[in-house]
Amino acid sequence: MCNFSLYSANFLLTIPSYISGVRGGLQGPGAISYNGFEESGTIPPLGSPHHTPKSSSLPYIDDTTPTNVTSFVGRSAFLSCRVRNLGNKSVSWIRHRDIHILTVGDYTYTSDQRFQVTYHRETDDWTLQIKWAQKRDEGIYECQINTQPVISYFVLVTIIVPTARILGASDLFVAKGSTINLTCSIHFSSDPTAYIFWYHDDNVISYDSSRGGVSVITEKGDITTSVLLIQNANWRDSGRYSCSPSNADVASVRVHVLNGKLITPIYAD
């Protein structure tokens, strides 16, 4: 959070115009009201709803600025806003879901230290960085210039969460004496999976226990897979099996060991 005692009186006078622009909705032809978004639940059109003349004197937002930003959980997301001819105006970043002013100029207006703005003079780019991005950071963000009416540019942020899943149905039926074969795959991970634990009910599976016949094969790559093999299955092997990777949520399946042979249905032609 910034120290307000460092601000000049002139800078502080600009703040009401930001608050008025955000709470009262955007003004002027082609503008879109925030109140309209809240009531309808619709998503504002990405980019800029304004058709600002690209003259030598009026500020405008370069419409080549990306309107979609995708990042992984735990990584940084970078939102660009290329403002031309800014002059004596200021640029702010606003989070749409709670209409929260995150930054104004070089100053930060949130206690969440993950948010930081950087001005790149060579490209006229006001870049909002969201450090250690989380799923809750998804949504619409607005870059706004405090002109009259205000000029806005909307950017959609998507955060990808690594997921684990065990191939097949949620219930697996195997015959007594056969092999239980479970494959867990981890998708959408930006970092290599450091480890994968397998659980039987609430107990970590040991591959060198006295039971014997338990092994695991792990292959790492863009999609990491872990294959659990349990030979000579018996009724004690029934229960919930869970795959728990280092970088994704737990995936589970329930195994039923049957006391007889599985019957494969035969369909007539």
Side-chain angles (χ1 to χ4, degrees):
M1 178 69 74
C2 58
N3 186 341
F4 283 90
S5 64
L6 298 179
Y7 291 170
S8 68
N10 290 335
F11 179 79
L12 289 174
L13 289 175
T14 67
I15 302 304
S17 66
Y18 279 90
I19 297 175
S20 174
V22 172
R23 293 181 178 173
L26 310 181
Q27 307 298 320
I32 303 172
S33 168
Y34 266 111
N35 295 331
F37 298 149
E38 293 170 354
E39 293 172 2
S40 66
T42 58
I43 297 176
L46 301 183
S48 176
H50 301 273
H51 303 285
T52 305
K54 297 176 176 58
S55 70
S56 59
S57 58
L58 295 177
Y60 68 92
I61 299 175
D62 190 332
D63 57 12
T64 63
T65 300
T67 57
N68 288 278
V69 172
T70 301
S71 185
F72 290 91
V73 164
R75 293 292 185 91
S76 286
F78 295 92
L79 289 66
S80 295
C81 186
R82 302 186 189 116
V83 180
R84 312 299 187 191
N85 307 330
L86 182 60
N88 62 354
K89 300 301 181 180
S90 298
V91 175
S92 65
W93 276 102
I94 300 163
R95 184 171 56 206
H96 181 262
R97 65 175 166 83
D98 54 2
I99 317 300
H100 186 76
I101 299 175
L102 300 172
T103 64
V104 177
D106 294 328
Y107 300 94
T108 302
Y109 278 81
T110 174
S111 59
D112 191 337
Q113 298 181 358
R114 298 180 306 122
F115 291 90
Q116 177 182 335
V117 68
T118 303
Y119 174 58
H120 303 277
R121 187 179 301 276
E122 66 280 3
T123 58
D124 290 330
D125 200 328
W126 294 83
T127 302
L128 177 68
Q129 179 182 7
I130 308 175
K131 303 176 183 177
W132 310 294
Q134 302 299 316
K135 189 65 176 176
R136 68 176 184 274
D137 296 319
E138 280 193 331
I140 298 288
Y141 290 77
E142 177 190 350
C143 172
Q144 186 183 103
I145 306 174
N146 65 332
T147 53
Q148 291 295 330
V150 296
I151 298 172
S152 298
Y153 197 87
F154 298 96
V155 179
L156 174 64
V157 174
T158 302
I159 305 300
I160 298 176
V161 180
T163 59
R165 68 185 186 95
I166 298 176
L167 304 185
S170 58
D171 285 88
L172 175 66
F173 298 88
V174 299
K176 179 181 177 182
S178 63
T179 297
I180 299 172
N181 186 333
L182 302 175
T183 299
C184 177
S185 60
I186 293 87
H187 299 258
F188 311 122
S189 175
S190 61
D191 298 309
T193 303
Y195 59 82
I196 299 174
F197 289 141
W198 281 95
Y199 289 82
H200 179 208
D201 292 328
D202 296 323
N203 302 310
V204 177
I205 294 176
S206 175
Y207 309 122
D208 57 0
S209 67
S210 58
R211 186 226 184 268
V214 179
S215 60
V216 67
I217 302 170
T218 300
E219 295 184 1
K220 295 185 177 181
D222 293 338
I223 298 177
T224 297
T225 60
S226 178
V227 180
L228 175 67
L229 300 172
I230 302 176
Q231 300 176 9
N232 195 24
N234 60 61
W235 65 270
R236 294 185 182 86
D237 297 318
S238 294
R240 186 182 73 255
Y241 285 79
S242 302
C243 162
S244 179
S246 61
N247 56 347
D249 292 336
V250 175
S252 299
V253 65
R254 184 162 291 276
V255 173
H256 307 268
V257 179
L258 305 182
N259 231 348
K261 293 183 178 180
L262 292 178
I263 300 175
T264 303
I266 300 176
Y267 299 96
D269 293 335

